Amino acid sequence: MSLFKYYEEMQGEGVILYFNGPVSQHMVESIAGLMRTKMRAEDTGLGSAQRVFAVLVEQMQNIVRYSLEQRTDSLEQLGEMAHGQVVVGREKDGRFFVACGNRMLTDDSRSLVRYLRRLQGMTKEELKAYYREQRKLHGAGTLKGAGLGLVEMARKASRPLDYDIVPVDASTSFFSMKVVTQ
């Protein structure tokens, strides 16, 4: 098996980081730290680096929380371990993107699509107001499932959230989302 074909494709697509495999909270911290170090080494502006870091963490945490491919080895193991993909790269215009993908229940994808379409239709000011409203409703301590991560990613994006859902079988689909940061 040669990986050269993939290497060339990813170079052509501006991919800086590609990961496919088990994602845990520890992995989120490791990959985010790796990207932070790389962006510092390249003298990426602080604001740009923070947006990429925030979106990367949100996307990876979504994999940990919502991927259908979950595994817990032991009670001592804190958190969950899920399977997913993460890609970080640069668009041709120099803006960064973060993309993630994982399997999910098709029934859950329908409500997710409705929510994402709603976010896509909001302006930056509407997203900011909606974020504040949802944060008040759900409180800072109960953010899981409130969809605030998606709102935050939409706020940090330079264009509407780009997503795709591909049916895998009768009950599951593969969800992908790409966020191009400002």
Side-chain angles (χ1 to χ4, degrees), residues 37-60:
T37 301
K38 177 169 179 44
M39 294 179 87
R40 278 187 191 147
E42 293 179 352
D43 284 331
T44 304
L46 182 60
S48 183
Q50 288 176 334
R51 284 187 289 276
V52 169
F53 180 80
V55 171
L56 177 62
V57 169
E58 286 293 340
Q59 292 236 30
M60 291 185 75

Side-chain angles (χ1 to χ4, degrees), residues 1-82:
M1 175 178 165
S2 172
L3 294 177
F4 184 66
K5 177 182 146 196
Y6 298 112
Y7 172 81
E8 280 195 321
E9 281 181 30
M10 290 188 195
Q11 289 284 57
E13 295 291 325
V15 172
I16 298 168
L17 172 99
Y18 172 77
F19 176 82
N20 177 38
V23 179
S24 64
Q25 186 59 38
H26 177 72
M27 184 64 72
V28 171
E29 294 164 11
S30 297
I31 289 179
L34 176 69
M35 281 307 303
R36 180 181 281 165
T37 301
K38 177 169 179 44
M39 294 179 87
R40 278 187 191 147
E42 293 179 352
D43 284 331
T44 304
L46 182 60
S48 183
Q50 288 176 334
R51 284 187 289 276
V52 169
F53 180 80
V55 171
L56 177 62
V57 169
E58 286 293 340
Q59 292 236 30
M60 291 185 75
Q61 286 178 340
N62 283 343
I63 291 171
V64 173
R65 291 177 183 153
Y66 302 113
S67 175
L68 263 187
E69 298 172 278
Q70 297 276 337
R71 195 176 120 204
T72 303
D73 289 339
S74 67
L75 293 177
E76 293 79 34
Q77 180 187 15
L78 295 176
E80 304 125 357
M81 185 177 295

Side-chain angles (χ1 to χ4, degrees), residues 8-16 88-98 158-159 178-181:
E8 280 195 321
E9 281 181 30
M10 290 188 195
Q11 289 284 57
E13 295 291 325
V15 172
I16 298 168
V88 179
R90 279 195 129 147
E91 297 282 298
K92 293 194 181 336
D93 64 6
R95 290 182 293 176
F96 287 94
F97 67 86
V98 181
S158 62
R159 59 183 188 215
K178 180 180 178 182
V179 178
V180 179
T181 60

Side-chain angles (χ1 to χ4, degrees), residues 132-179:
R132 286 184 181 162
E133 174 189 311
Q134 291 303 303
R135 195 164 171 92
K136 281 182 185 174
L137 282 174
H138 297 281
T142 58
L143 299 180
K144 183 178 176 180
L148 288 176
L150 292 172
V151 179
E152 190 63 16
M153 286 191 282
R155 291 179 62 197
K156 295 187 182 320
S158 62
R159 59 183 188 215
L161 301 176
D162 182 19
Y163 67 91
D164 184 47
I165 298 175
V166 177
V168 175
D169 55 39
S171 61
T172 64
S173 297
F174 192 86
F175 172 74
S176 308
M177 186 163 69
K178 180 180 178 182
V179 178

